[in-house]
Amino acid sequence: MAYRQTPARLQKDGEQRERILALALSRVADGGFTALTMQGLADDAGIATGSLYRHFSGKGELAAEVFARASQHEVDTLGTLLKASGSASERLSRGLHQFAARAWGSRQLAFALIAEPVDPEVDEQRLIYREAYAALFVTLLEQGIAAGEFQPQPVQLTAACLVGAIAEALIGPLSPPARAARDAGQSRVSLEDVSDALVTFCLRAVGARPSVLPKPASPTTATEDPP
Amino acid sequence: MAYRQTPARLQKDGEQRERILALALSRVADGGFTALTMQGLADDAGIATGSLYRHFSGKGELAAEVFARASQHEVDTLGTLLKASGSASERLSRGLHQFAARAWGSRQLAFALIAEPVDPEVDEQRLIYREAYAALFVTLLEQGIAAGEFQPQPVQLTAACLVGAIAEALIGPLSPPARAARDAGQSRVSLEDVSDALVTFCLRAVGARPSVLPKPASPTTATEDPP
């Protein structure tokens, strides 16, 4: 960058960078990381592609920053729910229901964040954010065990298992083929099906009392899609 | 490809391709996908880099095929264990112990397959193979539910949760920083810690009877590493 870094210039640069990131997030929310192209983004922002490269070394760095911002927001939201009032079981249940509902409400974005095949820079961020989610569950597990609500267990490993279970339970129903089937009226999996099953799985897994599990809608597997 | 496709030539091509894939797998097993470079592989094989491109369009396609072959071998091995004799709980327990032990015995390869940040072509394959693992668990869950060993539950969603929990439980202990800590004698997490915790988590999650759970080594979390 050869131009002079005056305070006014720095501020203008910072504002442009924020604007670009907001436009980039909106592209990912609409069409996944596939839709995040440097040319398309420059068009959205009404700037030359070269100006984008003043802010980001390339698609990988840009995608990683969009990912990190969106994920941090989800981590913060889940953290607030898990730290709210109520028993550890209630907080886990409420946090998971809300997390699933947020993913359901922004399916393209949620799938992009969790599982869309994308640049290795985003995969790096995924590993980092999985640890951030796991740290939230470690705290909750320690509280639940201390309160006698959950069975004693190695909390780091259980927290990792929870993070994996949650991500994987959401990947299928949020994936583009599943969304297309639902839009075409061919799928009967609802948000309630997914989040009740997920909450039951997680509460059982940590050894919560059976009385805190969601009531089963039906004793069969009839509300599920075929594989 | 301008040269003549005689039967002898085709056979020689097929043999060279197999040899390249074996050398590529060996590179990934030693140093992860990072170590899989076209130049390094051509050197290993004693051929020109251009000859590699006769077989694979590029690093992404090559990495995806190495991934698919190694993963298919793991899926087949787990499938054999899950379909062997014994109750559903016993088979789940045995399958998970063995799966974790295999990952532990080839940590670099296991981390590369599960979580190493890598080309999007490999991410695509990861989504496909997660479904292959899930299909194995669906069958086991249906048998366990029918036998009254597991609680009734939506088997597709539970299977997805199991796949995620297993992958995530292994990512941490297999990751390069964790391996380095263990090699330096700074880590106390053992294969037994991980696989017992994983088996307990999964058996509880599917609603197996408490009597089938592994006996806890200690009532505390003392054998765990800090985050």
Side-chain angles (χ1 to χ4, degrees), chain B residues 64-152:
Chain B
E65 184 149 350
V66 170
F67 175 92
R69 289 194 168 202
S71 297
Q72 187 62 52
H73 185 61
E74 294 308 316
V75 167
D76 292 342
T77 306
L78 181 62
T80 303
L81 289 162
L82 295 184
K83 286 168 192 155
S85 61
S87 71
S89 301
E90 283 164 0
R91 286 179 280 144
L92 181 57
S93 172
R94 210 184 300 135
L96 294 183
H97 274 295
Q98 195 62 25
F99 189 78
R102 288 176 60 83
W104 211 259
S106 315
R107 291 168 204 183
Q108 179 83 59
L109 180 61
F111 183 75
L113 295 180
I114 298 174
E116 185 185 346
V118 66
D119 311 72
E121 287 93 332
V122 172
D123 279 343
E124 294 274 6
Q125 292 291 320
R126 283 186 177 135
L127 287 173
I128 292 168
Y129 276 92
R130 280 161 155 166
E131 287 180 26
Y133 283 115
L136 295 179
F137 290 120
V138 164
T139 306
L140 184 79
L141 287 164
E142 286 171 343
Q143 294 168 347
I145 294 167
E149 287 185 68
F150 302 155
Q151 294 290 321

Side-chain angles (χ1 to χ4, degrees), chain B residues 118-198:
Chain B
V118 66
D119 311 72
E121 287 93 332
V122 172
D123 279 343
E124 294 274 6
Q125 292 291 320
R126 283 186 177 135
L127 287 173
I128 292 168
Y129 276 92
R130 280 161 155 166
E131 287 180 26
Y133 283 115
L136 295 179
F137 290 120
V138 164
T139 306
L140 184 79
L141 287 164
E142 286 171 343
Q143 294 168 347
I145 294 167
E149 287 185 68
F150 302 155
Q151 294 290 321
Q153 57 201 293
V155 291
Q156 310 283 348
L157 281 162
T158 299
C161 288
L162 291 174
V163 170
I166 295 160
E168 202 73 23
L170 293 174
I171 286 174
L174 296 178
S175 71
R179 290 203 305 271
R182 201 159 32 227
D183 292 347
Q186 288 157 6
S187 170
R188 290 158 299 151
V189 170
S190 69
L191 168 60
E192 287 66 34
D193 294 337
V194 174
S195 58
D196 279 357
L198 179 60

Side-chain angles (χ1 to χ4, degrees), chain A residues 1 16 28-29 48 80 84-85 122 128 137 142 168 177 183 185 200 207:
Chain A
M1 284 188 257
Q16 189 177 58
V28 176
T80 303
S85 60
V122 172
I128 293 168
F137 290 120
E142 286 172 342
E168 202 73 23
D183 292 348
T200 302

Side-chain angles (χ1 to χ4, degrees), chain A residues 17-18 23 26 39 47 121 127 140 150 169 179 204 222:
Chain A
R17 194 169 191 282
E18 287 303 312
L23 289 166
S26 150
Q39 183 60 59
I47 59 177
E121 288 94 330
L127 287 173
L140 184 80
F150 302 154
R179 291 204 305 272
R204 269 199 203 125

Side-chain angles (χ1 to χ4, degrees), chain A residues 63-81:
Chain A
E65 184 149 349
V66 170
F67 175 92
R69 289 194 169 203
S71 297
Q72 188 61 52
H73 186 60
E74 294 308 316
V75 167
D76 292 343
T77 306
L78 180 62
T80 303
L81 289 161

Side-chain angles (χ1 to χ4, degrees), chain A residues 115 117-118 120 123-124 130 151-158 160-162 164-165 168-169 171 197 201 204-205 207 219 221 224-225 227, chain B residues 117-118 120 123-124 127 130 151-157 160-162 164-165 168-169 171 194 197 201 204-205 207 219 221 224-225 227:
Chain A
V118 67
D123 279 343
E124 293 274 5
R130 280 163 154 164
Q151 294 291 319
Q153 59 201 292
V155 291
Q156 310 283 348
L157 282 162
T158 300
C161 289
L162 291 174
E168 202 73 23
I171 286 173
F201 181 96
R204 269 199 203 125
T221 62
E224 272 203 311
D225 282 340
Chain B
V118 66
D123 279 343
E124 294 274 6
L127 287 173
R130 280 161 155 166
Q151 294 290 321
Q153 57 201 293
V155 291
Q156 310 283 348
L157 281 162
C161 288
L162 291 174
E168 202 73 23
I171 286 174
V194 174
F201 181 96
R204 270 199 201 122
T221 62
E224 271 203 313
D225 281 341

